[in-house]
Amino acid sequence: MSEPSYEVARAELREIVAQLEAGGQSLEESLALWERGEALADVCQRWLDDASERLEQAIAEHDAPAAD
């Protein structure tokens, strides 16, 4: 299974947080939601880290002196 996009992962993570905050799940269900949330948070962080790295690279390339 491929990794979801940032937007998809973030939306699902928000849904999981809302479910956990609402309560009503069994301990086992809560743990499963928590684990899925942790995995989605990792996905989001990888997307953000990659975007930050790409942005830094683009800025560095833009600011580099032109070769004659």
Coordinates of all heavy atoms in Angstrom, one line a residue:
M1 N 0.8 -1.2 0.0 CA 0.0 0.0 0.0 C 0.9 1.2 0.0 O 1.8 1.3 0.8 CB -0.9 0.0 1.2 CG -1.9 1.1 1.3 SD -3.1 0.8 2.6 CE -3.0 2.3 3.4
S2 N 0.6 2.2 -0.9 CA 1.4 3.4 -0.9 C 1.0 4.4 0.2 O -0.1 4.3 0.8 CB 1.2 4.1 -2.3 OG -0.1 4.5 -2.4
E3 N 2.0 5.2 0.5 CA 1.8 6.2 1.6 C 0.8 7.3 1.1 O 0.8 7.7 0.0 CB 3.1 6.8 1.9 CG 3.1 7.7 3.1 CD 4.5 8.1 3.5 OE1 5.1 7.3 4.3 OE2 5.0 9.1 3.1
P4 N -0.2 7.6 2.0 CA -1.2 8.6 1.6 C -0.5 10.0 1.5 O 0.6 10.3 2.0 CB -2.1 8.6 2.8 CG -1.4 8.1 4.0 CD -0.4 7.2 3.4
S5 N -1.2 10.9 0.8 CA -0.7 12.3 0.6 C -0.8 12.9 2.0 O -1.5 12.4 2.9 CB -1.6 13.0 -0.4 OG -2.9 13.3 0.2
Y6 N -0.1 14.1 2.1 CA -0.2 14.8 3.4 C -1.6 15.1 3.8 O -2.0 15.0 4.9 CB 0.7 16.1 3.3 CG 0.5 17.0 4.5 CD1 1.2 16.7 5.6 CD2 -0.3 18.1 4.4 CE1 1.1 17.5 6.7 CE2 -0.5 18.9 5.5 CZ 0.2 18.6 6.7 OH 0.1 19.4 7.8
E7 N -2.4 15.6 2.8 CA -3.7 16.1 3.1 C -4.6 14.9 3.5 O -5.4 15.1 4.4 CB -4.3 16.7 1.8 CG -3.7 18.0 1.4 CD -2.3 17.9 0.7 OE1 -2.0 16.8 0.3 OE2 -1.7 18.9 0.5
V8 N -4.5 13.8 2.9 CA -5.3 12.6 3.2 C -4.9 12.1 4.7 O -5.8 11.8 5.5 CB -5.1 11.5 2.2 CG1 -5.7 10.2 2.7 CG2 -5.7 11.9 0.9
A9 N -3.6 12.0 4.9 CA -3.1 11.6 6.2 C -3.6 12.6 7.3 O -4.0 12.1 8.4 CB -1.6 11.5 6.2
R10 N -3.5 13.8 7.1 CA -3.9 14.8 8.0 C -5.4 14.8 8.3 O -5.8 14.9 9.5 CB -3.5 16.2 7.6 CG -3.8 17.3 8.6 CD -3.2 18.7 8.1 NE -3.5 19.7 9.0 CZ -4.6 20.5 8.9 NH1 -5.5 20.3 7.9 NH2 -4.8 21.4 9.8
A11 N -6.2 14.6 7.3 CA -7.6 14.5 7.5 C -8.0 13.3 8.3 O -8.8 13.4 9.2 CB -8.3 14.5 6.1
E12 N -7.4 12.2 8.0 CA -7.7 10.9 8.8 C -7.2 11.1 10.2 O -7.9 10.7 11.2 CB -7.0 9.7 8.1 CG -7.4 8.4 8.8 CD -6.8 7.2 8.2 OE1 -6.3 7.2 7.1 OE2 -6.9 6.1 8.9
L13 N -6.1 11.7 10.4 CA -5.5 12.0 11.8 C -6.5 12.9 12.5 O -6.8 12.6 13.7 CB -4.2 12.6 11.7 CG -3.5 12.9 13.0 CD1 -3.4 11.7 13.9 CD2 -2.1 13.5 12.7
R14 N -7.0 13.9 11.9 CA -8.0 14.7 12.6 C -9.3 13.9 13.0 O -9.8 14.1 14.1 CB -8.4 15.9 11.7 CG -7.3 16.9 11.5 CD -7.7 18.0 10.6 NE -8.8 18.7 11.3 CZ -9.1 20.0 11.1 NH1 -8.3 20.7 10.4 NH2 -10.1 20.6 11.7
E15 N -9.7 13.0 12.1 CA -10.9 12.2 12.4 C -10.6 11.3 13.6 O -11.4 11.1 14.5 CB -11.3 11.3 11.2 CG -11.9 12.1 10.1 CD -12.1 11.2 8.9 OE1 -12.2 10.0 9.0 OE2 -12.3 11.8 7.8
I16 N -9.4 10.7 13.7 CA -9.0 9.9 14.8 C -8.9 10.6 16.1 O -9.4 10.2 17.1 CB -7.7 9.2 14.5 CG1 -7.9 8.1 13.4 CG2 -7.0 8.6 15.7 CD1 -6.6 7.5 12.9
V17 N -8.4 11.8 16.1 CA -8.3 12.7 17.3 C -9.7 13.0 17.8 O -10.0 12.9 19.0 CB -7.5 14.0 17.0 CG1 -7.7 15.0 18.1 CG2 -6.1 13.7 16.8
A18 N -10.6 13.3 16.9 CA -12.0 13.6 17.2 C -12.7 12.3 17.9 O -13.4 12.5 18.9 CB -12.8 14.1 16.0
Q19 N -12.4 11.2 17.3 CA -13.0 9.9 17.9 C -12.4 9.7 19.3 O -13.2 9.3 20.2 CB -12.7 8.7 17.0 CG -13.4 8.7 15.7 CD -13.0 7.5 14.8 OE1 -11.9 7.2 14.7 NE2 -14.0 6.9 14.2
L20 N -11.1 9.9 19.4 CA -10.5 9.6 20.7 C -11.0 10.6 21.8 O -11.3 10.3 22.9 CB -9.0 9.6 20.6 CG -8.4 8.4 19.9 CD1 -6.9 8.7 19.7 CD2 -8.6 7.2 20.7
E21 N -11.2 11.9 21.3 CA -11.7 12.9 22.3 C -13.1 12.6 22.6 O -13.5 12.9 23.8 CB -11.6 14.3 21.6 CG -10.1 14.8 21.6 CD -10.0 16.1 20.9 OE1 -10.9 16.5 20.2 OE2 -8.9 16.7 21.1
A22 N -13.9 12.1 21.7 CA -15.3 11.8 22.0 C -15.5 10.6 22.9 O -16.5 10.5 23.7 CB -16.1 11.5 20.7
G23 N -14.5 9.7 22.9 CA -14.6 8.5 23.8 C -15.6 7.5 23.3 O -16.1 7.6 22.2
G24 N -15.9 6.6 24.2 CA -16.9 5.6 23.8 C -16.3 4.3 23.2 O -17.0 3.3 23.0
Q25 N -15.0 4.3 22.9 CA -14.4 3.1 22.4 C -13.9 2.2 23.5 O -13.6 2.6 24.6 CB -13.2 3.4 21.5 CG -13.5 4.2 20.3 CD -13.4 5.7 20.6 OE1 -12.9 6.1 21.7 NE2 -13.9 6.5 19.8
S26 N -13.8 0.9 23.2 CA -13.1 0.0 24.1 C -11.7 0.3 24.2 O -11.1 1.1 23.4 CB -13.3 -1.5 23.7 OG -12.6 -1.7 22.5
L27 N -11.0 -0.2 25.2 CA -9.6 0.0 25.3 C -8.8 -0.5 24.1 O -8.0 0.2 23.5 CB -9.0 -0.7 26.6 CG -7.5 -0.6 26.8 CD1 -7.1 0.8 26.9 CD2 -7.1 -1.4 28.0
E28 N -9.2 -1.6 23.6 CA -8.6 -2.2 22.4 C -8.8 -1.3 21.2 O -7.9 -1.0 20.4 CB -9.1 -3.6 22.1 CG -8.3 -4.3 21.0 CD -6.9 -4.6 21.4 OE1 -6.6 -4.8 22.6 OE2 -6.0 -4.6 20.5
E29 N -10.0 -0.8 21.0 CA -10.3 0.1 19.9 C -9.5 1.4 20.0 O -9.0 2.0 19.1 CB -11.8 0.4 19.8 CG -12.6 -0.8 19.4 CD -14.1 -0.5 19.6 OE1 -14.5 0.2 20.5 OE2 -14.9 -1.1 18.8
S30 N -9.5 2.0 21.3 CA -8.7 3.2 21.5 C -7.2 3.0 21.2 O -6.6 3.9 20.6 CB -8.9 3.6 23.0 OG -10.2 4.0 23.2
L31 N -6.7 1.9 21.6 CA -5.3 1.6 21.3 C -5.0 1.5 19.8 O -4.0 2.0 19.3 CB -4.8 0.3 22.0 CG -4.6 0.4 23.5 CD1 -4.3 -0.9 24.1 CD2 -3.5 1.4 23.8
A32 N -5.9 0.9 19.1 CA -5.8 0.8 17.6 C -5.9 2.1 17.0 O -5.1 2.4 16.0 CB -6.9 -0.2 17.1
L33 N -6.8 3.0 17.4 CA -6.9 4.3 16.9 C -5.6 5.1 17.2 O -5.1 5.8 16.3 CB -8.1 5.1 17.5 CG -9.5 4.7 17.0 CD1 -10.6 5.3 17.8 CD2 -9.6 5.1 15.5
W34 N -5.1 5.0 18.4 CA -3.9 5.7 18.8 C -2.7 5.3 17.9 O -2.0 6.1 17.4 CB -3.6 5.4 20.3 CG -2.3 6.1 20.7 CD1 -1.0 5.6 20.7 CD2 -2.2 7.4 21.2 NE1 -0.2 6.5 21.2 CE2 -0.8 7.6 21.5 CE3 -3.1 8.4 21.5 CZ2 -0.4 8.8 22.0 CZ3 -2.7 9.6 22.0 CH2 -1.3 9.8 22.3
E35 N -2.6 4.0 17.7 CA -1.5 3.4 16.9 C -1.6 4.0 15.4 O -0.6 4.4 14.8 CB -1.5 1.9 16.9 CG -1.0 1.4 18.2 CD -1.2 -0.1 18.4 OE1 -1.9 -0.8 17.5 OE2 -0.6 -0.7 19.3
R36 N -2.8 4.0 14.9 CA -3.0 4.5 13.5 C -2.7 6.0 13.5 O -2.1 6.5 12.6 CB -4.5 4.2 13.1 CG -4.8 4.8 11.7 CD -4.0 4.1 10.6 NE -4.4 4.7 9.3 CZ -3.6 4.7 8.3 NH1 -2.4 4.1 8.3 NH2 -4.0 5.2 7.2
G37 N -3.1 6.7 14.5 CA -2.8 8.1 14.6 C -1.3 8.4 14.7 O -0.8 9.3 14.0
E38 N -0.6 7.6 15.4 CA 0.9 7.7 15.5 C 1.5 7.5 14.1 O 2.4 8.2 13.7 CB 1.5 6.8 16.5 CG 1.2 7.1 17.9 CD 2.0 8.3 18.4 OE1 3.2 8.5 18.0 OE2 1.5 9.2 19.1
A39 N 1.0 6.5 13.4 CA 1.5 6.2 12.0 C 1.2 7.4 11.1 O 2.1 7.8 10.3 CB 0.9 4.9 11.5
L40 N 0.0 7.9 11.2 CA -0.4 9.0 10.3 C 0.4 10.3 10.7 O 0.8 11.0 9.8 CB -1.9 9.3 10.4 CG -2.8 8.3 9.8 CD1 -4.2 8.5 10.3 CD2 -2.7 8.3 8.3
A41 N 0.7 10.5 11.9 CA 1.5 11.6 12.4 C 2.9 11.5 11.8 O 3.5 12.5 11.3 CB 1.6 11.7 13.9
D42 N 3.5 10.3 11.7 CA 4.8 10.0 11.1 C 4.8 10.3 9.6 O 5.7 10.9 9.1 CB 5.2 8.6 11.4 CG 5.6 8.3 12.8 OD1 5.9 9.3 13.6 OD2 5.7 7.1 13.1
V43 N 3.7 10.0 9.0 CA 3.5 10.2 7.5 C 3.5 11.7 7.3 O 4.3 12.3 6.5 CB 2.2 9.6 7.0 CG1 1.9 10.1 5.6 CG2 2.3 8.1 6.9
C44 N 2.8 12.5 8.1 CA 2.7 13.9 8.0 C 4.1 14.6 8.2 O 4.5 15.5 7.5 CB 1.7 14.5 8.9 SG -0.1 14.1 8.5
Q45 N 4.8 14.1 9.2 CA 6.1 14.6 9.5 C 7.1 14.4 8.4 O 7.8 15.3 8.1 CB 6.6 14.1 10.8 CG 7.8 14.8 11.3 CD 7.6 16.2 11.6 OE1 6.7 16.6 12.4 NE2 8.4 17.1 11.0
R46 N 7.0 13.2 7.8 CA 7.9 13.0 6.6 C 7.6 13.9 5.5 O 8.5 14.4 4.8 CB 7.8 11.5 6.2 CG 8.5 10.5 7.1 CD 8.7 9.1 6.4 NE 7.4 8.5 6.2 CZ 6.7 7.8 7.1 NH1 7.2 7.6 8.3 NH2 5.6 7.2 6.8
W47 N 6.3 14.1 5.2 CA 5.9 15.1 4.1 C 6.4 16.5 4.5 O 7.0 17.2 3.6 CB 4.4 15.1 4.0 CG 3.9 14.0 3.1 CD1 3.2 12.9 3.5 CD2 3.9 13.9 1.7 NE1 2.8 12.2 2.4 CE2 3.3 12.8 1.3 CE3 4.5 14.8 0.7 CZ2 3.2 12.4 -0.1 CZ3 4.4 14.4 -0.6 CH2 3.8 13.2 -1.0
L48 N 6.3 16.9 5.7 CA 6.7 18.2 6.1 C 8.2 18.4 6.0 O 8.8 19.4 5.6 CB 6.2 18.6 7.5 CG 4.7 18.8 7.6 CD1 4.3 18.9 9.0 CD2 4.2 20.0 6.7
D49 N 8.9 17.3 6.5 CA 10.4 17.3 6.4 C 10.9 17.4 5.0 O 11.8 18.2 4.7 CB 11.0 16.1 7.1 CG 10.8 16.1 8.6 OD1 10.5 17.2 9.2 OD2 11.0 15.0 9.3
D50 N 10.3 16.6 4.1 CA 10.6 16.6 2.7 C 10.4 18.0 2.1 O 11.2 18.5 1.3 CB 9.9 15.5 1.9 CG 10.3 15.5 0.5 OD1 11.5 15.3 0.2 OD2 9.4 15.6 -0.4
A51 N 9.2 18.6 2.4 CA 8.9 19.9 1.8 C 9.9 21.0 2.3 O 10.3 21.8 1.5 CB 7.5 20.3 2.2
S52 N 10.2 20.9 3.6 CA 11.2 21.8 4.1 C 12.5 21.7 3.5 O 13.2 22.7 3.1 CB 11.3 21.6 5.7 OG 12.3 22.5 6.2
E53 N 13.0 20.5 3.3 CA 14.2 20.2 2.6 C 14.2 20.7 1.2 O 15.2 21.4 0.7 CB 14.5 18.7 2.6 CG 15.9 18.3 2.3 CD 16.1 16.8 2.5 OE1 15.9 16.3 3.7 OE2 16.3 16.1 1.5
R54 N 13.2 20.5 0.5 CA 13.0 21.0 -0.9 C 13.0 22.5 -1.0 O 13.6 23.1 -1.9 CB 11.8 20.4 -1.6 CG 11.9 18.9 -1.8 CD 10.6 18.2 -2.3 NE 10.0 18.9 -3.4 CZ 8.7 18.8 -3.7 NH1 7.9 18.0 -2.9 NH2 8.2 19.4 -4.7
L55 N 12.4 23.1 0.0 CA 12.3 24.6 0.0 C 13.7 25.1 0.3 O 14.1 26.1 -0.4 CB 11.3 25.0 1.1 CG 11.1 26.5 1.2 CD1 10.7 27.2 -0.1 CD2 10.1 26.8 2.4
E56 N 14.4 24.6 1.3 CA 15.7 25.0 1.6 C 16.7 24.9 0.4 O 17.5 25.8 0.1 CB 16.3 24.3 2.8 CG 15.7 24.7 4.1 CD 16.2 23.8 5.2 OE1 17.2 23.1 5.1 OE2 15.5 23.8 6.3
Q57 N 16.5 23.8 -0.4 CA 17.3 23.5 -1.6 C 17.0 24.6 -2.6 O 17.9 25.1 -3.3 CB 17.1 22.1 -2.1 CG 18.0 21.8 -3.3 CD 17.7 20.4 -3.8 OE1 16.9 19.7 -3.3 NE2 18.4 20.0 -4.9
A58 N 15.7 24.9 -2.8 CA 15.3 25.9 -3.8 C 15.9 27.2 -3.5 O 16.3 28.0 -4.3 CB 13.8 25.9 -4.0
I59 N 15.8 27.6 -2.2 CA 16.3 28.9 -1.8 C 17.8 29.0 -2.0 O 18.3 30.0 -2.5 CB 15.9 29.1 -0.3 CG1 14.4 29.4 -0.2 CG2 16.7 30.3 0.3 CD1 13.9 29.4 1.3
A60 N 18.5 27.9 -1.6 CA 20.0 27.9 -1.8 C 20.3 28.0 -3.3 O 21.3 28.7 -3.6 CB 20.5 26.6 -1.2
E61 N 19.6 27.3 -4.1 CA 19.9 27.4 -5.6 C 19.6 28.8 -6.1 O 20.3 29.3 -6.9 CB 19.1 26.4 -6.3 CG 19.5 24.9 -6.1 CD 18.6 23.9 -6.7 OE1 17.6 24.3 -7.4 OE2 18.9 22.7 -6.5
H62 N 18.6 29.4 -5.6 CA 18.2 30.8 -6.0 C 19.2 31.8 -5.6 O 19.6 32.7 -6.3 CB 16.8 31.1 -5.5 CG 16.4 32.5 -5.8 ND1 16.7 33.6 -5.0 CD2 15.7 33.0 -6.9 CE1 16.2 34.7 -5.6 NE2 15.6 34.4 -6.7
D63 N 19.7 31.6 -4.3 CA 20.7 32.5 -3.8 C 22.1 32.3 -4.2 O 23.0 33.1 -3.9 CB 20.6 32.5 -2.2 CG 19.3 33.1 -1.7 OD1 18.6 33.7 -2.5 OD2 19.0 32.8 -0.5
A64 N 22.4 31.2 -4.8 CA 23.8 30.8 -5.2 C 24.2 31.8 -6.3 O 23.4 32.2 -7.2 CB 23.8 29.4 -5.7
P65 N 25.5 32.2 -6.3 CA 25.9 33.1 -7.3 C 25.9 32.4 -8.7 O 26.2 31.2 -8.8 CB 27.4 33.5 -6.9 CG 27.7 32.6 -5.7 CD 26.5 31.9 -5.3
A66 N 25.6 33.2 -9.7 CA 25.5 32.6 -11.0 C 26.9 32.3 -11.5 O 27.8 33.1 -11.4 CB 24.8 33.6 -12.0
A67 N 27.1 31.1 -12.1 CA 28.4 30.8 -12.7 C 28.5 31.4 -14.1 O 27.6 31.4 -14.9 CB 28.5 29.3 -12.9
D68 N 29.7 32.1 -14.3 CA 29.9 32.7 -15.6 C 30.5 31.8 -16.6 O 31.3 31.0 -16.5 CB 30.8 34.0 -15.4 CG 30.1 35.1 -14.6 OD1 28.9 35.2 -14.8 OD2 30.7 35.7 -13.8

